[in-house]
Amino acid sequence: MISLSNQELLDTNITDFIIPSEKVAHVQVGNSLEHALLLLTKSGYSSIPVLDPRFHFQGLISSSLITDSILGLERFEFEQLELKKVEEVMTTDFPTVSLESKFKEAIELLVDHPFLCVISENGYFEGILTRRVVLKHFQRHMYKMS
Ligand code: 2BA
């Protein structure tokens, strides 16, 4: 059974837990796969957002999508890295949340996704909500309850 305080937690707005866009590693539409792979490698993240020049969210790019896209029949075609653009390879098949979203919705989505992109009404990229931040908040809540 869910107690009142647990219900309050589930009804909490996600806004205060967002990592803001300026702190999120990202690439822009038009960037080459080589640039994206460099950024992914340097940042240590396995997947990052793709934005347009006006900071509108377009998709996600990951190291595995990149390596898969340059895999030929017998070898990796590394020369493709500078020829292909991120928008040719990024995925658009994932859920996003809004500034109005609550923890309950976010938790359900974070089961299958390590982070969620937070998008405003006009498609502007506000930042991300990560599993780590949500789990940390839950941990704090658990200790307070015990
Ligand atoms: P992953 O890159 O697969 O990272 C999985 C977890 O490993 C992260 O979980 C974090 O706990 C740790 N980690 C990986 N790289 C790190 C780094 N450079 N610095 C500190 N910790 C690192 P979460 O923090 O829950 O992040 C979930 C996912 O959100 C990450 O998956 C990544 O795809 C994305 N992400 C997190 N912070 C980001 C940022 N500032 N910019 C871009 N993407 C970010």
Side-chain angles (χ1 to χ4, degrees):
M1 197 168 99
I2 295 181
S3 71
L4 187 61
S5 62
N6 285 344
Q7 189 61 52
E8 274 167 21
L9 179 69
L10 294 174
D11 289 339
T12 306
N13 188 278
I14 62 165
T15 318
D16 290 342
F17 302 91
I18 297 171
I19 297 176
S21 56
E22 63 271 18
K23 290 193 177 158
V24 177
H26 67 273
V27 286
Q28 280 204 0
V29 167
N31 285 160
S32 66
L33 291 189
E34 186 176 30
H35 177 81
L37 193 57
L38 203 69
L39 199 77
L40 283 159
T41 307
K42 285 274 180 205
S43 69
Y45 296 119
S46 51
S47 174
I48 55 174
V50 180
L51 307 180
D52 74 8
R54 293 185 310 139
F55 253 61
H56 283 96
F57 180 63
Q58 304 294 311
L60 292 181
I61 190 84
S62 66
S63 314
S64 59
L65 280 173
I66 294 176
T67 46
D68 191 54
S69 78
I70 62 162
L71 184 60
L73 280 181
E74 290 182 348
R75 66 176 189 93
F76 285 110
E77 295 167 354
F78 288 109
E79 62 280 9
Q80 295 288 329
L81 282 178
E82 55 180 322
L83 301 175
K84 283 190 178 169
K85 305 291 183 202
V86 285
E87 59 269 32
E88 297 171 50
V89 173
M90 69 185 185
T91 176
T92 53
D93 180 22
F94 51 83
T96 58
V97 286
S98 74
L99 289 169
E100 284 76 42
S101 295
K102 308 275 187 259
F103 256 63
K104 184 176 186 300
E105 177 191 355
I107 290 158
E108 278 161 17
L109 295 171
L110 285 169
V111 171
D112 293 320
H113 304 273
F115 70 104
L116 300 167
C117 290
V118 186
I119 313 299
S120 71
E121 259 174 33
N122 57 6
Y124 187 80
F125 176 70
E126 298 285 347
I128 59 173
L129 183 70
T130 64
R131 252 183 212 161
R132 182 168 192 271
V133 167
V134 169
L135 283 174
K136 267 177 85 173
H137 185 60
F138 261 84
Q139 188 189 36
R140 248 181 270 132
H141 178 78
M142 254 170 42
Y143 285 132
K144 252 197 268 169
M145 294 285 94
S146 61

